[in-house]
Amino acid sequence: RFHNPKFLAGWVVTRLAEVLAGGILIFAGAMKGTDMALWLHDLNNLHIAPPEYLPWLAVSLPPIEIITGACLMIGKQLSGARTIAICLLLAFTVVLGFAQAYGINVSCGCFGKLSGHGTPNYILDMTRNAILILACIVHPAYSRAFAPLNPSALSASPTEKKRKRNK
């Protein structure tokens, strides 16, 4: 399938986008993990869950982001990593959308201390999340849609191929 240079170039670009998304998830998880008190404060200000569940969320989300990002970067367990990344990013985007809709003026906490704790730019944050979601979707979609068909794979059933090899 990599004999077609156009397909190969597109495959490389879409895979690099996925690797970049993984790197951003690793960075976001690591930054949240470096200051749990700030991350817990940001979660509390966003009003996304009852206060008794927030410490659990604060502790569990950074490692999930780091592991998911690592899987995206190294190419292991990709379908699961893509699914988790898309779900996380969709959830984060919905939370940011509600924060903007209800006029909650707090940091998203996306990148820990680096999120900036001034006036939030929810539109920019939601746009970034949408681009990362696309990065997780485009590679498998591209690979399936534009992969050259292997005519020999379609011409014979596995049993017929086995018979031909045994002759």
Side-chain angles (χ1 to χ4, degrees):
R1 99 182 189 178
F2 293 112
H3 299 298
N4 181 339
K6 288 182 182 179
F7 174 77
L8 178 60
W11 187 92
V12 168
V13 168
T14 59
R15 180 68 185 117
L16 286 175
E18 197 170 57
V19 168
L20 180 64
I24 291 171
L25 281 172
I26 290 171
F27 181 71
M31 292 309 298
K32 287 176 189 128
T34 60
D35 191 346
M36 281 294 185
L38 178 62
W39 171 226
L40 182 59
H41 175 74
D42 289 340
L43 281 176
N44 189 41
N45 287 340
L46 287 169
H47 306 290
I48 63 170
E52 59 269 16
Y53 296 114
L54 293 179
W56 181 84
L57 274 172
V59 170
S60 62
L61 282 175
I64 291 170
E65 285 181 305
I66 291 168
I67 292 167
T68 301
C71 289
L72 286 173
M73 287 190 77
I74 63 174
K76 296 292 182 188
Q77 304 296 327
L78 277 174
S79 63
R82 287 180 191 122
T83 302
I84 292 169
I86 291 167
C87 289
L88 285 171
L89 291 163
L90 282 173
F92 295 153
T93 304
V94 167
V95 167
L96 292 172
F98 278 114
Q100 181 174 9
Y102 289 108
I104 300 172
N105 191 12
V106 295
S107 165
C108 70
C110 302
F111 297 102
K113 294 176 187 175
L114 298 179
S115 293
H117 287 79
T119 305
N121 189 341
Y122 293 129
I123 299 297
L124 181 65
D125 294 334
M126 290 187 290
T127 302
R128 180 200 56 236
N129 288 353
I131 290 168
L132 293 173
I133 289 168
L134 284 174
C136 292
I137 293 171
V138 76
H139 181 71
Y142 180 86
S143 295
R144 287 186 189 103
F146 296 105
L149 292 175
N150 181 353
S152 65
L154 299 174
S155 64
S157 70
T159 308
E160 290 172 5
K161 288 180 185 179
K162 189 175 181 181
R163 283 187 205 142
K164 287 179 184 179
R165 275 187 260 138
N166 292 335
K167 287 184 180 180

